[in-house]
Amino acid sequence: MGLQVNGKTLDTDEEGYLSNLSDWEPEVAQVMAEADECDLTENHWEVINFLRSYYEEYQIAPAVRVLTKAIGKKLGKDKGNSRYLYQLYPYGPAKQACKYAGLPKPTGCV
Amino acid sequence: MSAGPRKKLMYLNRRAPGGTIYAVEGLEVVLIGAAFDQDVCMAFVGDGVYQLKAGQDTSDSGVKNFSPAYRALGDYDVNRLYVERESLEERGLGVDDLMPLTWEDEDDDWAEKPSIHVVDRAELARLIDAQDVVFNF
């Protein structure tokens, strides 16, 4: 499997997650979102950027429960709830946003 | 998820972070298992204490340094990490050689509290005895 971004083919796993974290660039998220017919707004990017810095710090993709709590702490209570996050990422905030962010599937996600 | 009684679970880590997959896989089980809202603690004995060593660097071995992930344990509500004092001493280590792991206590205005508790062998034996389930890694 591969993902076409800026004329390059990036390796992905069978579910479309990037194989190499270092292949990520913002266009990766754009291309993945277009395939899902999802328009990336500033609010989407906020979550993507949050996940990337979380991974950088802890070397894991957080479970959705952990993500929700951490977003609430960092970006405010109105964003740290699953209703808000599922509106942005209907396929599951941790799963879908991690994919756009170029991270592996969250630990504990089936 | 069924709402049975919460069980006391201990993840007992006995091996060094590298060389085998026990440590990294064991940590993954803890993070996955955290979703089940049980009464979870971890214990580190023998070479397992090296898992918590500060300043790990795996760049020469070509494997990922997963040690930063221990710092996320507090976010997963895993905030009791027992380290056996004798195992540290036998390896010339003290608590200052370990990562300063903390968790935030929601019921105490998010105060940061230490997750690592150094206990002696006899105390650890009592803790093991008090568990419903012990997972060995």
Side-chain angles (χ1 to χ4, degrees), chain A residues 54-55 57-63 65-66 69 73 107-108, chain B residues 28 31-32 34-35 64-65 68-69 71-72 75-77 104:
Chain A
Y54 192 95
Y55 191 88
E57 185 166 356
Y58 297 109
Q59 298 295 306
I60 52 169
R65 180 175 61 90
V66 174
K69 205 161 82 176
K73 224 181 120 195
T107 300
Chain B
E28 187 141 326
L31 295 173
I32 292 169
K64 175 173 154 175
N65 176 12
R71 291 192 282 114
D75 294 343
Y76 284 76
D77 297 322
E104 293 175 336

Side-chain angles (χ1 to χ4, degrees), chain A residues 7-22:
Chain A
K8 285 175 290 188
T9 306
L10 307 178
D11 278 346
T12 62
D13 70 8
E14 67 275 10
E15 291 177 274
Y17 290 78
L18 278 194
S19 302
N20 302 307
L21 191 66
S22 55

Side-chain angles (χ1 to χ4, degrees), chain A residues 38-78:
Chain A
C38 165
D39 279 326
L40 290 184
T41 65
E42 227 169 272
N43 290 334
H44 289 90
W45 279 107
E46 212 169 41
V47 178
I48 292 172
N49 291 328
F50 177 86
L51 281 167
R52 288 190 60 81
S53 57
Y54 192 95
Y55 191 88
E56 180 129 338
E57 185 166 356
Y58 297 109
Q59 298 295 306
I60 52 169
V64 63
R65 180 175 61 90
V66 174
L67 172 71
T68 308
K69 205 161 82 176
I71 289 260
K73 224 181 120 195
K74 177 123 189 253
L75 304 174
K77 270 219 166 87
D78 53 325

Side-chain angles (χ1 to χ4, degrees), chain B residues 28-65:
Chain B
E28 187 141 326
V29 172
V30 174
L31 295 173
I32 292 169
F36 293 98
D37 194 28
Q38 302 294 306
D39 182 4
V40 174
C41 68
M42 296 175 79
F44 297 84
V45 300
D47 285 345
V49 300
Y50 288 123
Q51 292 179 29
L52 300 180
K53 180 100 173 38
Q56 294 180 43
D57 180 357
T58 60
S59 49
D60 283 347
S61 65
V63 300
K64 175 173 154 175
N65 176 12

Side-chain angles (χ1 to χ4, degrees), chain B:
Chain B
M1 237 167 279
S2 77
R6 288 175 99 228
K7 286 197 169 173
K8 288 165 76 77
L9 310 185
M10 176 186 274
Y11 295 92
L12 182 60
N13 297 280
R14 301 184 290 119
R15 292 177 178 84
T20 71
I21 61 165
Y22 283 98
V24 66
E25 291 286 316
L27 181 60
E28 187 141 326
V29 172
V30 174
L31 295 173
I32 292 169
F36 293 98
D37 194 28
Q38 302 294 306
D39 182 4
V40 174
C41 68
M42 296 175 79
F44 297 84
V45 300
D47 285 345
V49 300
Y50 288 123
Q51 292 179 29
L52 300 180
K53 180 100 173 38
Q56 294 180 43
D57 180 357
T58 60
S59 49
D60 283 347
S61 65
V63 300
K64 175 173 154 175
N65 176 12
F66 63 92
S67 68
Y70 291 94
R71 291 192 282 114
L73 284 167
D75 294 343
Y76 284 76
D77 297 322
V78 178
N79 42 39
R80 282 179 299 131
L81 275 56
Y82 299 109
V83 182
E84 194 192 64
R85 185 185 314 281
E86 289 85 343
S87 297
L88 284 175
E89 283 169 0
E90 285 159 11
R91 288 161 184 78
L93 296 172
V95 69
D96 293 343
D97 295 305
L98 307 181
M99 294 182 274
L101 302 179
T102 58
W103 63 288
E104 293 175 336
D105 190 347
E106 206 170 337
D107 300 326
D108 190 6
D109 198 22
W110 304 101
E112 279 209 351
K113 300 186 174 179
S115 301
I116 291 182
H117 305 276
V118 177
V119 295
D120 61 32
R121 197 160 278 170
E123 174 64 14
L124 187 63
R126 275 191 291 277
L127 285 165
I128 291 171
D129 209 36
Q131 304 301 315
D132 295 309
V133 184
V134 176
F135 295 95
N136 253 293
F137 287 100

